[in-house]
């Protein structure tokens, strides 16, 4: 086996040194009746070239070379090549959690920079070293608000990513946290009147996503006012990090839970991604996840360490703020490099291109179909309502090697034939025009079919 | 000091400030293509929601970024540099072909919501990995969704709760041995269970008689790590399982130490009802400085209805798809389907090994741990003489007499060119040195390690101060963790 660095003679020498007759001696503690006396029934050992071939075939079966209009929590942005050059360095790739600070300063300093940049971008004062993903970060943020306020219910905007809400309800169920949903208006924004009616003395927090699942930018200030007036916290979830380049960050929030995938992390069929929680300094001791802090060594030299570990499971066990152990260090490094590459000016220009592509697409789609939620600003996603089932339209679009918008029926049956479309800086005008053309064709076909029906009835 | 230069030699390392300290307006590492659609008036589109300023996000050029992160990288220790004997962490070689295949376009750019018709490649990977892991664990069904080991535990306990609930009563307590990882009790609390500690016996194993007394109809499950954190196989595992099952409780196995078992014995065959795996330990996906991990949970048939949704199914036409209609499911534990990129790597690892390779891997891992044990016996105190599997736990009892503790020895090990072992865990061994070499170490590297550890033991006798002030050869000396926690500085701020 090519990963194993021992010759048969080495194995013999080691057995002899430890005084064992055979390798079986070492497995003697396992009762004989449980020992496996056959080969595992898994594929035989493969050569490297066979492995490469097998996965290349799977890659080809997986939408290789398709253009996509899918967003909804996983975004295709350009990834500068230096991200992979740098994260492929073995010193980053094959290191463990930086508990031994003296030999982990590389990872620690880069996380410290990550925490700083997340603060700058979200308008918060402290950020952690990352969480699993946006859905679990959002869930942990709500649980954090419950701990901070001592209250036990939360109001959740219906326009928060449906799968984030599912994860939250899985966690909340066994912690006695009652969740109530607050709907959205025709603008796509949360129903403020409903929110005002629903907020109660038991409300720990209001959870809002902005830009929300439909791409609509929420009126964070108005929601913050309602929450704070009632002693509740405002938790803001951000699924599309690129929006922060041009959309005012939720400075009025108490906790921000973010998905960093947009910043240089491949969609990778749903993971691994990079969640992160940012908050105000005064709440840091209730924050879950790892934190890196600056300190000095014995000679007064600047250095970095994992800190405030007394919140964590390996110290506090069942009294910890969360059971989380790992973070997403390597993915956070991708995010960190991405933010560094684009920087202060590039992040804005990048976001602006997303905005421009989306504005163009909205204008084109509007000529043929209804674009919902147009009463409020949006970032790079929008909802198109068609007469025909969007699954049927998408299957024709797929013939052009284009993946159409996400049909929303699964999550929002009340929205009928609506689909969620996304444009990024990667979306070409020609792809938009092709997709719009096919949607227009569908609309015309339905219209003439219904006219034919009317004629039939008239006859 | 006599052996210190055998493994490592000091060399120049570059200084590097924070990236913010290099920033100046007008430098850039990016270039966007020209827009192929009309430009927009952002104020008109966004109104009050438009952002005016991005604060202190840096502005630097590409070469500066390359140098910055390359310099930082050289300040890290890594498996690629040498033995990384962290007990319980299974720091094995991370094969590079795994990195290559996970970056193939269709896999890296696959969108989680793309139509199933063009997702057959990803679905085939999910299904094949599931089948392999089910066979390896001897279980019947699996979910790949949990993002890490701790989330696997959470998923497992949610299923335990759902199972008991379906029988009418979710029960109240989870039994956890005192040698367990901290995530176990933290997870039990997250799922709304009370934690009851289970004492280990003098051999470092579960005290079966005590378990029989503590087990009753209010106990939902026992969370057992096997081999346990002492590296000891629970020989009475069948009795443990029987005691749990007799009163309707479940046996949950923390699979953190599965590297001692793969291909040699299957938890499903010795009475385990459900367990999680750590793909980043046993199945070679890179730790990456602390993540991403991946924590699939394998279960027996009777727990299958409770698996998180969606699950992968084969449709009547033979194609693969996701099934969401799972009325008894515990729900979702994260968005989408889990850390897919890690599935690709783990499967590539299984392919590279095959049944014979995996068995040899396990044998070598156990062989290595026993070689280290033999080499250090006499120099360090071995609190439990029970046979070791894939890791061995010593204590600092002999060195403590000279005022030197496990953390000091660990720091001194850095000077010899090694990453420290796991310190002060498991909690049942005061001053623990927990050493797991994994199968990836050649005999020569282990000989250097043994030599270094013995040399440190001698230093403790001759010059304890040398060890107490270690490390001496790193960029920074011991860092002031107390100050870091008392006055936290968690971000850079402009002067």
């Amino acid at each position: 086996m090519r990963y194993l660095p021992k010759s048969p003679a080495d194995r013999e020498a080691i057995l002899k040194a430890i005084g064992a007759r055979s390798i079986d001696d070492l497995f003697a503690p396992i009762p004989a009746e449980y020992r496996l006396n056959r080969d595992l029934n898994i594929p035989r050992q493969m050569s490297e070239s066979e492995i490469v071939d097998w996965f290349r075939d799977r890659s080809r079966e997986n939408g290789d070379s398709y253009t996509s209009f899918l967003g909804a929590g996983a975004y295709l942005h350009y990834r500068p090549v230096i991200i992979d050059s740098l994260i492929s360095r073995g010193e980053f790739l094959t290191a463990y959690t930086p508990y031994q600070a003296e030999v982990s300063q590389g990872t620690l300093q880069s996380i410290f920079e990550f925490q700083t940049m997340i603060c700058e971008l979200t308008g918060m004062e402290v950020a952690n070293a990352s969480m699993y993903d946006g859905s679990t970060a959002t869930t942990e943020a709500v649980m954090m608000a419950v701990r901070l306020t001592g209250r036990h219910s939360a109001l959740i905007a219906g326009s928060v990513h449906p799968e984030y809400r599912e994860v939250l309800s899985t966690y909340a169920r066994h912690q006695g946290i009652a969740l109530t949903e607050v709907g959205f208006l025709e603008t796509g924004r949360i129903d403020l009147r409903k929110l005002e009616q629903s907020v109660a003395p038991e409300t720990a927090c209001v959870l809002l996503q902005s830009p929300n699942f439909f791409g609509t930018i929420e009126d964070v200030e108005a929601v913050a006012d309602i929450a704070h007036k009632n002693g509740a916290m405002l938790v803001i979830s951000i699924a599309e990090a690129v929006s922060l380049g041009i959309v005012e960050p939720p400075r009025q929030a108490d906790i921000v839970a973010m998905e960093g995938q947009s910043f240089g992390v491949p969609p990778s069929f749903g993971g691994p991604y990079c969640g992160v929680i940012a908050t105000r300094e005064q709440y840091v001791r209730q924050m879950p996840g790892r934190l890196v802090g600056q300190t000095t060594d014995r000679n007064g030299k600047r250095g970095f360490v994992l800190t405030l570990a007394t919140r964590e499971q390996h110290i506090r066990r069942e009294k910890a703020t969360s059971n989380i152990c790992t973070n997403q260090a390597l993915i956070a490094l991708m995010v960190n490099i991405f933010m560094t590459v684009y920087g202060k000016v590039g992040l804005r220009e990048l976001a602006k291109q997303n905005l421009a592509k989306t504005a163009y697409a909205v204008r084109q789609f509007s000529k043929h179909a209804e674009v919902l939620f147009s009463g409020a600003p949006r970032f790079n996603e929008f909802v198109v309502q068609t007469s025909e089932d969007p699954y049927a339209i998408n299957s024709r679009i797929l013939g052009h090697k284009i993946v159409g918008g996400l049909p929303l029926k699964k999550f929002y049956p009340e929205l009928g034939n609506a689909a969620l479309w996304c444009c990024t800086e990667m979306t070409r005008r020609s792809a938009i025009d092709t997709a719009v053309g096919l949607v227009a064709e569908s609309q015309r076909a339905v219209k003439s079919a219904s006219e034919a029906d009317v004629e039939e009835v008239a006859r | 000091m006599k052996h210190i230069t055998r493994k490592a030699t000091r060399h120049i390392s570059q200084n590097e400030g924070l990236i913010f300290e290099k920033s100046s307006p007008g430098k850039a590492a990016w270039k966007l293509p020209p827009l192929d659609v009309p430009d927009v008036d952002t104020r008109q589109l966004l109104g009050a929601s438009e952002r005016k300023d991005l604060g202190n996000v840096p502005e630097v050029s590409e070469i500066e970024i390359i140098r910055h992160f390359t310099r930082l990288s050289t300040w890290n220790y890594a498996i690629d540099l040498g033995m990384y004997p962290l007990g319980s962490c299974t720091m094995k070689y991370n094969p590079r072909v795994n990195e290559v295949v996970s970056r193939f376009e269709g896999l890296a750019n696959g969108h989680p919501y793309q139509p199933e018709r063009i997702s057959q490649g990803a679905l085939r990977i999910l299904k094949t990995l599931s089948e392999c892991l089910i066979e390896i664990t001897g279980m019947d069904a699996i979910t790949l969704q949990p993002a890490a080991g701790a989330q696997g535990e959470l998923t497992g306990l949610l299923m335990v709760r759902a199972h008991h609930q379906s029988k009418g009563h979710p029960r109240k307590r989870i039994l956890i041995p005192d040698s367990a990882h901290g995530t176990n009790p933290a997870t039990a609390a997250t799922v709304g269970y009370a934690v009851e500690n289970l004492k280990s016996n003098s051999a470092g194993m579960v005290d079966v008689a005590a378990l029989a007394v503590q087990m009753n109809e209010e106990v939902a499950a026992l969370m057992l790590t096997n081999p346990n954190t002492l590296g000891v196989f629970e020989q009475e595992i069948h009795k443990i399982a029987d005691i749990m099952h007799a009163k309707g409780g479940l046996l949950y196995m923390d699979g953190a130490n599965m590297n001692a078992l793969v291909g040699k014995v299957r938890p499903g065959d010795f009475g385990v009802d459900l367990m999680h795996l750590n793909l980043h330990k046993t199945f070679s996906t890179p730790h990456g400085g602390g993540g991403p991990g991946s924590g699939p949970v394998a279960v027996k048939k009777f727990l299958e209805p409770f698996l998180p949704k969606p699950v992968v199914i084969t449709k009547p036409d033979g194609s693969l798809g996701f099934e969401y209609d799972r009325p008894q499911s515990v729900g979702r534990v994260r968005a989408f389907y889990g850390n897919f990129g890690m599935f690709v790597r783990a499967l590539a690892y299984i392919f590279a090994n095959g049944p014979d390779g995996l068995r040899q891997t396990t044998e070598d891992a156990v062989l290595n741990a026993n070689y280290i044990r033999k080499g250090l016996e006499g120099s360090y105190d071995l609190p439990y003489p029970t046979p070791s599997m894939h890791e061995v736990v010593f204590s600092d009892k002999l060195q403590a007499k000279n005022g030197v503790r496990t953390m000091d020895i660990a720091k001194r090990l850095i000077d010899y060119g090694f990453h420290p072992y796991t310190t002060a865990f498991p909690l049942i061994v005061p001053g623990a040195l927990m050493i797991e070499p994994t199968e990836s170490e050649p005999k020569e590297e282990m000989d250097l390690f043994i030599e270094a550890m013995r040399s440190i033991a001698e230093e403790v006798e001759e010059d304890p101060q040398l060890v107490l002030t270690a490390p001496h050869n790193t960029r920074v000396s011991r860092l002031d963790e107390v100050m870091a926690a008392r006055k936290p500085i968690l971000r850079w701020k402009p002067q």
Side-chain angles (χ1 to χ4, degrees):
Chain A
M1 207 283 125
R2 64 184 182 278
Y3 302 153
L4 298 175
K6 267 189 279 304
S7 68
D10 289 337
R11 291 192 179 99
E12 280 308 311
I14 292 178
L15 277 175
K16 210 170 145 215
I18 59 186
R21 275 161 304 156
S22 73
I23 190 74
D24 287 341
D25 284 5
L26 300 180
F27 288 86
I30 302 176
E33 67 261 43
Y34 299 127
R35 272 178 254 161
L36 194 65
N37 296 313
R38 60 165 175 85
D39 275 356
L40 286 168
N41 184 19
I42 57 171
R44 63 158 176 84
Q45 196 176 114
M46 292 186 195
S47 69
E48 187 173 296
S49 64
E50 289 175 299
I51 294 170
V52 167
D53 286 346
W54 194 89
F55 283 100
R56 186 167 283 135
D57 288 345
R58 301 293 82 74
S59 171
R60 290 198 179 112
E61 295 164 0
N62 214 60
D64 188 352
S65 78
Y66 278 65
T67 298
S68 169
F69 284 95
L70 291 170
Y75 302 91
L76 188 64
H77 292 286
Y78 182 71
R79 303 179 64 236
V81 297
I82 67 168
I83 293 176
D84 276 352
S85 322
L86 289 169
I87 71 144
S88 298
R89 285 191 63 93
E91 298 93 329
F92 284 131
L93 186 74
T94 75
Y96 190 69
T97 306
Y99 288 123
Q100 297 290 342
E102 298 88 347
V103 279
S104 309
Q105 285 298 302
T107 295
L108 286 162
Q109 182 171 324
S110 92
I111 294 175
F112 185 78
E113 292 174 354
F114 169 87
Q115 290 174 182
T116 303
M117 270 189 259
I118 295 294
C119 289
E120 292 291 338
L121 287 175
T122 56
M124 292 287 110
E125 292 164 347
V126 287
N128 67 9
S130 73
M131 310 285 291
Y132 302 139
D133 74 334
S135 70
T136 50
T138 300
T139 299
E140 294 267 8
V142 170
M143 284 157 49
M144 180 178 157
V146 166
R147 286 194 299 274
L148 282 166
T149 57
R151 300 175 173 193
H152 290 277
S153 70
L155 297 176
I156 315 299
S159 50
V160 171
H161 194 302
E163 294 196 5
Y164 288 21
R165 282 184 283 132
E166 281 181 53
V167 174
L168 173 57
S169 80
T170 302
Y171 275 72
R173 196 170 306 143
H174 305 294
Q175 307 207 3
I177 305 173
L179 306 176
T180 308
E181 213 169 285
V182 180
F184 46 87
L185 299 170
E186 272 182 19
T187 56
R189 284 179 164 174
I190 190 171
D191 185 338
L192 289 176
R193 227 171 31 137
K194 269 272 170 56
L195 178 67
E196 199 134 32
Q197 286 163 7
S198 310
V199 68
E202 254 308 286
T203 308
C205 68
V206 176
L207 169 65
L208 188 71
Q209 181 182 327
S210 183
N212 69 22
F213 188 64
F214 308 123
T216 303
I217 299 165
E218 295 276 3
D219 184 350
V220 174
E221 207 175 329
V223 177
D225 282 347
I226 295 173
H228 292 157
K229 221 164 48 194
N230 291 278
M233 294 191 148
L234 176 61
V235 177
I236 292 286
S237 171
I238 299 172
E240 172 45 302
V242 167
S243 67
L244 286 167
I246 204 149
V247 176
E248 179 63 7
R251 297 183 203 275
Q252 304 84 355
D254 300 284
I255 309 170
V256 174
M258 194 172 120
E259 171 58 76
Q261 180 269 326
S262 274
F263 285 169
V265 183
S268 193
F269 209 62
Y273 292 172
C274 174
V276 54
I277 288 183
T279 187
R280 299 178 188 285
E281 229 163 69
Q282 67 200 95
Y283 303 141
V284 69
R285 282 170 205 274
Q286 283 300 332
M287 181 147 81
R290 291 180 184 145
L291 281 166
V292 171
Q294 181 182 312
T295 186
T296 51
D297 75 354
R298 288 179 172 180
N299 306 314
K301 193 170 175 182
R302 176 169 73 182
F304 302 91
V305 290
L306 287 174
T307 192
L308 300 179
T310 48
R311 302 162 298 119
E312 293 186 66
Q313 49 76 27
H314 62 281
I315 310 280
R316 295 275 284 169
R317 298 176 81 86
E318 66 268 26
K319 294 187 186 69
T321 54
S322 162
N323 78 331
I324 195 165
C325 178
T326 52
N327 62 359
Q328 302 283 296
L330 196 70
I331 313 293
L333 181 60
M334 291 187 195
V335 171
N336 190 14
I337 297 168
F338 183 96
M339 293 188 289
T340 309
V341 166
Y342 279 96
K344 187 177 168 117
V345 180
L347 284 175
R348 183 183 164 88
E349 290 305 311
L350 173 68
K352 200 173 166 211
Q353 284 212 350
N354 278 255
L355 209 58
K357 301 267 188 176
T358 305
Y360 172 78
V362 167
R363 216 158 43 238
Q364 298 307 108
F365 274 106
S366 301
K367 292 176 185 165
H368 309 282
E370 191 186 356
V371 176
L372 302 182
F373 310 132
S374 285
R378 57 168 70 86
F379 182 57
N380 65 358
E381 288 171 281
F382 55 98
V383 178
V384 179
Q385 180 80 263
T386 48
S387 309
E388 193 185 0
D389 185 334
Y391 283 104
I393 304 177
N394 278 352
S395 87
R396 288 195 294 276
I397 296 179
L398 206 58
H400 295 255
K401 295 201 105 179
I402 295 175
V403 181
L406 175 72
L408 290 178
K409 254 177 222 172
K410 189 171 100 182
F411 298 129
Y412 299 92
E414 72 273 21
L415 291 180
N417 285 336
L420 179 66
W421 293 69
C422 174
C423 294
T424 72
E425 78 285 1
M426 305 275 278
T427 316
R428 292 210 177 91
R429 179 181 189 150
S430 56
I432 298 173
D433 292 342
T434 306
V436 168
L438 291 163
V439 167
E441 218 168 82
S442 150
Q443 294 288 90
R444 278 196 297 275
V446 174
K447 198 170 162 214
S448 60
S450 67
E451 277 164 9
D453 283 349
V454 172
E455 271 173 42
E456 194 121 326
V457 172
R459 231 182 286 157
Chain B
M1 273 298 236
K2 51 192 168 227
H3 297 305
I4 201 150
T5 54
R6 290 256 335 250
K7 170 109 193 322
T9 304
R10 296 188 71 165
H11 80 120
I12 290 292
S13 109
Q14 304 278 329
N15 293 328
E16 178 71 6
L18 289 162
I19 195 75
F20 309 101
E21 295 160 353
K22 307 193 139 188
S23 171
S24 65
K27 288 202 279 191
W30 58 278
K31 168 83 187 151
L32 289 165
L35 265 180
D36 59 359
V37 296
D39 204 356
V40 285
D41 179 344
T42 51
R43 179 186 298 205
Q44 191 200 330
L45 280 177
L46 298 176
S49 303
E50 185 185 0
R51 180 171 204 161
K52 303 293 186 307
D53 182 43
L54 269 77
N56 295 301
V57 178
E59 292 172 81
V60 284
S61 64
E62 188 167 314
I63 175 65
E64 289 171 292
I65 298 172
I66 289 283
R67 285 199 181 141
H68 177 71
F69 288 102
T70 303
R71 287 170 181 168
L72 294 193
S73 77
T74 64
W75 305 347
N76 275 358
Y77 195 84
I79 302 169
D80 284 4
L81 288 168
M83 183 168 161
Y84 214 125
L86 280 173
S88 210
C89 299
T90 314
M91 297 298 284
K92 62 168 68 183
Y93 170 57
N94 306 142
R96 290 312 196 271
V97 67
N98 302 1
E99 298 305 310
V100 170
V101 297
S102 64
R103 284 174 171 80
F104 284 159
E105 164 112 20
L107 304 180
N109 284 346
H111 191 285
Y113 290 148
Q114 69 191 24
E116 285 175 1
R117 251 168 74 192
I118 58 164
S119 300
Q120 292 299 305
L123 285 159
R124 179 63 56 196
I125 289 167
L126 294 175
K127 180 133 198 298
T128 310
L129 178 63
S130 296
E131 287 167 353
C132 290
L133 297 179
I134 286 170
E135 166 69 6
I136 288 167
T137 55
M139 308 300 275
D140 301 315
I142 197 165
T143 175
L144 302 178
Q145 200 177 94
Q151 213 190 19
E153 293 172 24
L154 176 101
T155 308
L157 290 195
L158 286 171
M159 295 172 73
V160 166
R161 187 177 259 283
H163 162 77
H164 289 302
Q165 188 73 62
S166 77
K167 306 260 176 222
H169 178 40
R171 304 193 173 199
K172 291 191 176 129
R173 285 193 294 280
I174 300 286
L175 295 179
I176 299 178
D178 47 12
S179 58
H181 295 110
T183 49
N184 291 176
T187 302
T190 308
V191 184
Y193 279 122
V195 174
E196 192 170 313
N197 244 305
L198 199 58
K199 280 217 174 320
S200 303
N201 64 19
S202 58
M205 292 188 260
V206 168
D207 185 332
V208 175
L211 173 67
V213 173
Q214 279 177 268
M215 180 60 203
N216 58 44
E217 269 80 12
E218 285 302 339
V219 173
L222 164 65
M223 289 181 96
L224 188 70
T225 307
N226 194 21
N228 66 21
T229 54
L230 293 169
V232 172
F233 190 87
E234 296 283 354
Q235 293 185 20
E236 296 189 290
I237 186 71
H238 56 293
K239 281 193 202 154
I240 294 171
D242 287 348
I243 291 169
M244 294 309 297
H245 293 154
K247 299 223 164 117
L250 302 187
L251 180 56
Y252 180 97
M253 190 176 117
D254 180 326
N257 294 339
M258 194 64 194
N259 211 43
L261 306 182
V262 175
K264 300 294 285 186
V265 57
R266 309 190 310 163
D269 294 339
F270 57 67
V272 169
D273 298 301
L274 73 170
M275 65 177 293
H276 80 263
L277 294 162
N278 298 80
L279 298 188
H280 49 292
K281 295 181 180 177
T282 318
F283 296 95
S284 84
T285 74
H287 279 78
S294 179
V297 178
V299 301
K300 284 289 173 65
K301 191 82 191 160
F302 71 98
L303 291 170
E304 191 176 9
F306 308 115
L307 288 173
K309 58 186 177 182
V311 297
V312 177
I313 52 158
T314 306
K315 300 204 276 197
D317 66 356
S319 70
L320 299 172
F322 287 113
E323 187 180 70
Y324 288 86
D325 185 18
R326 311 273 302 176
Q328 287 186 279
S329 165
V330 296
R332 239 180 207 294
V333 294
R334 62 152 285 171
F336 312 123
Y337 323 113
N339 284 345
F340 178 79
M342 301 299 116
F343 308 155
V344 174
R345 290 167 173 86
L347 186 56
Y349 171 80
I350 291 171
F351 285 168
N353 275 284
D356 46 338
L358 287 181
R359 185 170 49 231
Q360 182 76 66
T361 294
T362 303
E363 290 175 356
D364 279 6
V366 173
L367 197 63
N368 281 2
N370 280 282
Y371 187 58
I372 302 274
R373 172 173 164 157
K374 189 75 188 175
L376 298 185
E377 253 174 334
S379 302
Y380 293 88
D381 169 61
L382 189 68
Y384 293 95
T386 323
S388 296
M389 298 294 292
H390 68 301
E391 66 191 359
V392 56
V393 178
F394 290 96
S395 93
D396 61 11
K397 197 168 148 195
L398 303 175
Q399 289 70 34
K401 284 183 224 145
N402 288 305
V404 174
R405 306 308 310 263
T406 177
M407 186 59 97
D408 305 311
I409 300 162
K411 296 296 187 195
R412 183 62 178 149
L413 198 48
I414 293 171
D415 287 332
Y416 282 80
F418 290 95
H419 192 278
Y421 46 77
T422 295
T423 56
F425 185 82
L427 304 178
I428 56 168
V429 175
L433 291 68
M434 188 194 207
I435 305 171
E436 179 183 7
T438 84
E439 71 281 4
S440 301
E441 295 314 324
K443 184 169 175 296
E444 297 74 21
E445 186 85 359
M446 291 193 292
D447 287 336
L448 288 170
F449 177 79
I450 291 166
E451 185 179 285
M453 288 293 288
R454 284 182 183 163
S455 175
I456 295 170
E458 285 168 25
E459 287 171 355
V460 170
E461 299 294 329
E462 293 158 11
D463 183 6
Q465 206 52 35
L466 179 69
V467 180
L468 287 168
T469 51
H472 302 283
N473 296 331
T474 44
R475 297 188 52 74
V476 288
S477 58
R478 278 196 220 187
L479 290 148
D480 189 345
E481 298 194 4
V482 174
M483 187 182 89
R486 193 170 295 153
K487 285 189 178 170
I489 302 173
L490 304 172
R491 53 157 301 176
W492 173 85
K493 278 181 188 154
Q495 294 300 318

